[in-house]
Amino acid sequence: MTADRTVGVSPEVQRRLYELMTLMKAADDRLSKGIASGELQCVYWPPRGQEAIAAAMGVCLRRDDQLVTNYRGLHDLIGKGVPLVEIYGEMLGRQTGSSRGKGGTMHIANPECGVMLSTGIVGAGPPVAVGLAMAAQRKGLDRVTVASFGDGATNTGSFHEAANMAALWDLPLVLLCQNNQYAEMTPTEHTMKISQVAHRAGGYGLPGVRVDGNDPLAVVAALTEAVDRGRSGGGPTLLECVTFRFRGHYFGDPMAYIPPERLAAALEADPIPRFRSRLRLAGICSEADLDEIEAAAVTAVEEALTAVLTAPGALVDELDRDVYADPRNCPA
Amino acid sequence: MTADRTVGVSPEVQRRLYELMTLMKAADDRLSKGIASGELQCVYWPPRGQEAIAAAMGVCLRRDDQLVTNYRGLHDLIGKGVPLVEIYGEMLGRQTGSSRGKGGTMHIANPECGVMLSTGIVGAGPPVAVGLAMAAQRKGLDRVTVASFGDGATNTGSFHEAANMAALWDLPLVLLCQNNQYAEMTPTEHTMKISQVAHRAGGYGLPGVRVDGNDPLAVVAALTEAVDRGRSGGGPTLLECVTFRFRGHYFGDPMAYIPPERLAAALEADPIPRFRSRLRLAGICSEADLDEIEAAAVTAVEEALTAVLTAPGALVDELDRDVYADPRNCPA
Amino acid sequence: MTMREALNLALDQALAHDERVFLLGEDIADPGASGPTKGLSTKYGTERVLDTPISESAIVGAAIGAAMEGFRPVAEIMIMDFIGIAADQIINNAAKLRFMTGGRTSAPITVRTQVYGGIGTGATHSQSLEAWFMHVPGLKVIVPSTPRDGKGLLTSAIFDDDPCIFVETIRLGPQRGMVPVDPGFSIPLGEADVKRPGSDVTLISYGRGVVEALGAATQLEADGVSAEVLDLRTLVPLDVAAMVESVGRTTRAVVVHDAVQFAGPGAEIAAILQRELFGRLSAPVERVGARFVPNPAPPALESQVYPSAQRIVAAVRRTLGLESAKTGAHG
Amino acid sequence: MTMREALNLALDQALAHDERVFLLGEDIADPGASGPTKGLSTKYGTERVLDTPISESAIVGAAIGAAMEGFRPVAEIMIMDFIGIAADQIINNAAKLRFMTGGRTSAPITVRTQVYGGIGTGATHSQSLEAWFMHVPGLKVIVPSTPRDGKGLLTSAIFDDDPCIFVETIRLGPQRGMVPVDPGFSIPLGEADVKRPGSDVTLISYGRGVVEALGAATQLEADGVSAEVLDLRTLVPLDVAAMVESVGRTTRAVVVHDAVQFAGPGAEIAAILQRELFGRLSAPVERVGARFVPNPAPPALESQVYPSAQRIVAAVRRTLGLESAKTGAHG
Ligand SMILES: Cc1ncc(C[n+]2csc(CCOP(=O)(O)OP(=O)(O)O)c2C)c(N)n1
Ligand SMILES: Cc1ncc(C[n+]2csc(CCOP(=O)(O)OP(=O)(O)O)c2C)c(N)n1
Ligand SMILES: [Mg+2]
Ligand SMILES: [Mg+2]
């Protein structure tokens, strides 16, 4: 099954997609530069290259729609509207962080924006997303939950159990697989025999769709369909978006395991320049517009970083908070 | 994909199938009678109704082919040639048991017959079967491993992980699902949306086949194909055999959750009388032959039970054995 | 009423009085249900008492997600031996969510699970793994011994703001006792209970061990030994004050539990007592736990594995200097 | 050589000398491999050093199946926090197979896994869960502290007839030490090692805790306190005789480990010592483990959670009566 691309996307939304993508890229670039130079210290799993997917979430999801993402979530978090000061703050252990700095890069949540969970355990997100979708269904809300995960995550038993439950109970859930062709250092073709992750859908009785994850309009079309299905009681969808991670698994990954031709071809398909020219050719944005969008993204990122770097670090007394609702429950 | 039924099954093999089926039934009947009357004390999960599948294993597998089964394994164990004294002995905690009585009903193994594992944990068998099949592949042996499990087990993450690995590595494995339409008290349609377990195969890139599990010849045909595929390096198969468990989940189950019509229809399709008439109509066995086969089964079962009941119970000093290879490793 | 009925009543009243409560698990809905959930789907519908696929990991994960959204899900892991399958969701999501998100999310789930030890089902249907969950910050661990405690503690667990592992014991299911039927009745988590007062030795236990400890106390009384039986009821929070008070008085302690003795809950209890009461004990803290062996299926063997009144009495006699300490670390 | 190199050498030699050995796990093959498996797939081929899908349960299950057939599989669970996913296979199959089948099958697997605590990766990439596996009869549990021990113990684990949980520590990876390169070199499981002799107090530890204990011992020496450092090396089998001998001599013990203190390995050790040495100790057994909190990501917070030489020194001073016992149970 392939998504229908005829859904029209307005010029405003297309522009918004580009704004989001450039913000995600700028946020990644700045963090990468800072870590590389030693200016910033944190663990980081860069999503550079996967922006089209997260930007599509940004325009397809409502604020009250919910998201479960993972360690490679910078782009998803931005797409869902989490303020950069919270994201950077959390990565860098500052009090401006979404968890006041104590959760770290892998564990960012902002329920007000609908970001309920980021998980460091591969595959652990989809079951929780099932529960969030159950909650929405039980409350009679028309919101959807998106569980965002990688290709590798679909090999976990956890994914299987969640997908089966979601299908069984017609939950308003989108199982969004960002297939970036690798799980850590292992290419997807070494970990599954099937040619498409979307083929896994048949084992659960839910629709499986595969799209070019580097084309934001393709993702918007497919995601709109999946979200509408979920919102209207039609149940879950497995949506596979094919993309690539340009910076490897973790920041600093030498990527020795990626054949140079494969990397080159992937870089060639970088969603950002591709969408930029498309916007220009379609007459939606002028060169100047586009430059301005990019510059605005860089400025926003610098402002956020400055705010974070001038904020105090996480307090040591955080150790006494939030283990239990009532701190007296901790053993002496 | 449906199995090709045109494979011929010789009269001798058909007779052998009936012998096995009646032995399985007699073993179940006697145990059930004994437990019901209080004569025998053990936990028991009866496979009555599923004999055609296990009998097919009995004629399709070589002695060196391996089997991983579960708590509902009486028929499988008989099919694979485990002596009844070992099975009954283990269920009844006697020294004649396959584990000298200490493992119990759920944990019967007999490596000489190729029965490597029976598991009480639903879904825990297939991953181990993957390892057994890896071992055969690594040793260059042409034997196959069969993992036998229920419909409910295919909802476990464990099944998923194992099926994916088996497909990926082209392992000589048959994933044999005995779909008896219930997992404990819950009908299969309440736990999965798909209409056929066999549809799960597509998510792994292996062939999925569904057959009438009450027709031993249908199972033989499909299993032969799957076993041949595995033996010749063609990789694993998911084989779904549709059947029913006549006595419910555990012995004594009141089966209140089975609609009477559904049970009646299932009993109508009892594989044993059905195959009996077929053998007679096909002129393979006379009435007298068939009666003799059934009587022999009953005799064999009685003999085994007598041997078991006159054998001593498991020794208490078994507690000091087999925790580790060397008993000195146990903490004081 | 029986323990099973008491637990059923707690679930029933929670479902009746708070629509945030729902139950999910394998075979918990009628007409299949036979445990503490029996009758509840008939009363409240299968939306609120929900049969699931055999997917322990997703059962707990789904409960977590719903709890994050304000529900009070009660997830059942049918038998505690299966809890390994859900362990990742329990330890990495449920236990840590509140901390990792600085309090912005939390997972106030209850995981009900049942210990099958002692009924002949063998090594993979019998384990008591509560020590695992004591060791993971963020979880509460509850093991009732009487119908009254069962009802009161389960009610507290369901409405507690933290994730609770609630361990039931199949051998206690038919046990009877007085139970307040008032829906308002609950027992605070973290308060041990003196099940029998005494002055010579404290038997510290929880769950089924309490029954054996009471049996031992009765036997000891005949010998003129006065044993106090302290039922911890919850392992996290652990009522250290109550333990220290009692053992400080009796100067002797024997810890009893069905969990494997080695590295079990009793180890922590002994470690605490030897520190808090250093120099004030008349004898070392003794432990009587399950033997270090996978559980055997035959009753004659299995009965050697779990604590019995006899093994407890022997341990008490060691603390009284009436029996050689060399009779074995396994009581 | 470094610990990482020592472990690599153990694996290398095992692969070279015994064709029954193979490795499986996520990202363990070249060119992706960066840990102790680096270079091995290049040398022995990807059949013997096998990348797997992200399927921890099936990784361990597959290792078990192959082990039943005579192989000596070494399965990697990349980070110990993920071991919950494989817990069922470990506790219900690997640990119990030999017993349940009366010795007719067994699963001599080695599960290598790594503790990530102390490097800023947060609550779900930092846990030390060895206490879980001590509590499950049938498993052996090994945690080396030096490159020499790493090589010797890993070699023993691979060829041991029982399932072994082999816990590596990322912070020890770059640590250097002398290592016998002889392929015949191994260290028996179950023998503790005195890493530094002393007479006033025994610091009992394993894994990374040993490094902190040695640091504390050096500091204590300056104060005129002679601390013995006993490295357990394996938690099952546990070398009780060595502990009792050492503490019997010094009359004081502090147990140190990166695992959470509450219900951790130190609880069992304290429980054993208070019993075996009752009346012979000058002070209660002290414990210095990780604080009872999900691990925080920021280094400034994380450093408060794990044992440090400073916390160990404070605990030793408590055993010497030099500091109030009220400075806290968490050392
Ligand atoms: C259960 C578990 N196993 C292993 C890991 C280590 N790990 C972190 S990311 C990763 C690869 C995940 O690949 P994929 O799902 O494709 O997501 P991607 O990183 O490519 O976005 C692995 C193996 C983990 N975090 N959790
Ligand atoms: C992991 C796990 N969860 C739950 C159970 C309890 N249980 C035992 S059998 C069973 C149903 C299994 O159904 P199915 O796989 O269809 O096999 P069947 O019993 O029908 O042969 C369940 C839920 C278990 N043994 N293991
Ligand atoms: Mg990926
Ligand atoms: Mg079934």
Side-chain angles (χ1 to χ4, degrees), chain A residues 150-152 178 180-183:
Chain A
D151 43 290
Q178 306 197 15
N180 58 17
Q181 306 177 44
Y182 282 85

Side-chain angles (χ1 to χ4, degrees), chain D residues 24 31 42 126 128 135 145 169 174 203 212 297 309:
Chain D
L24 72 169
T42 303
S126 56
S128 297
H135 190 48
S145 74
T169 308
L203 308 180
E212 298 291 348

Side-chain angles (χ1 to χ4, degrees), chain B residues 45-47 50 70-72 75 106 119-124 149-156 177-186 188 192 245 248-249, chain C residues 26-27 52-56 59 77-79 81-83 85 124-125, chain D residues 88:
Chain B
W45 295 268
Q50 305 182 191
N70 62 22
Y71 50 92
R72 196 183 307 288
H75 59 327
M106 286 196 270
T119 169
I121 306 291
V122 173
F149 49 82
D151 43 291
T154 70
N155 291 326
T156 66
C177 178
Q178 305 198 14
N179 180 352
N180 58 17
Q181 307 179 45
Y182 282 84
E184 291 216 347
M185 288 77 203
T186 307
T188 310
M192 58 184 83
R245 346 147 291 203
H249 173 53
Chain C
E26 296 154 19
D27 308 295
T52 65
I54 306 175
S55 303
E56 281 80 7
I59 289 169
I77 300 295
M78 190 184 290
I79 306 186
D81 307 71
F82 315 155
I83 207 161
I85 302 166
T124 62
H125 283 58
Chain D
D88 179 65

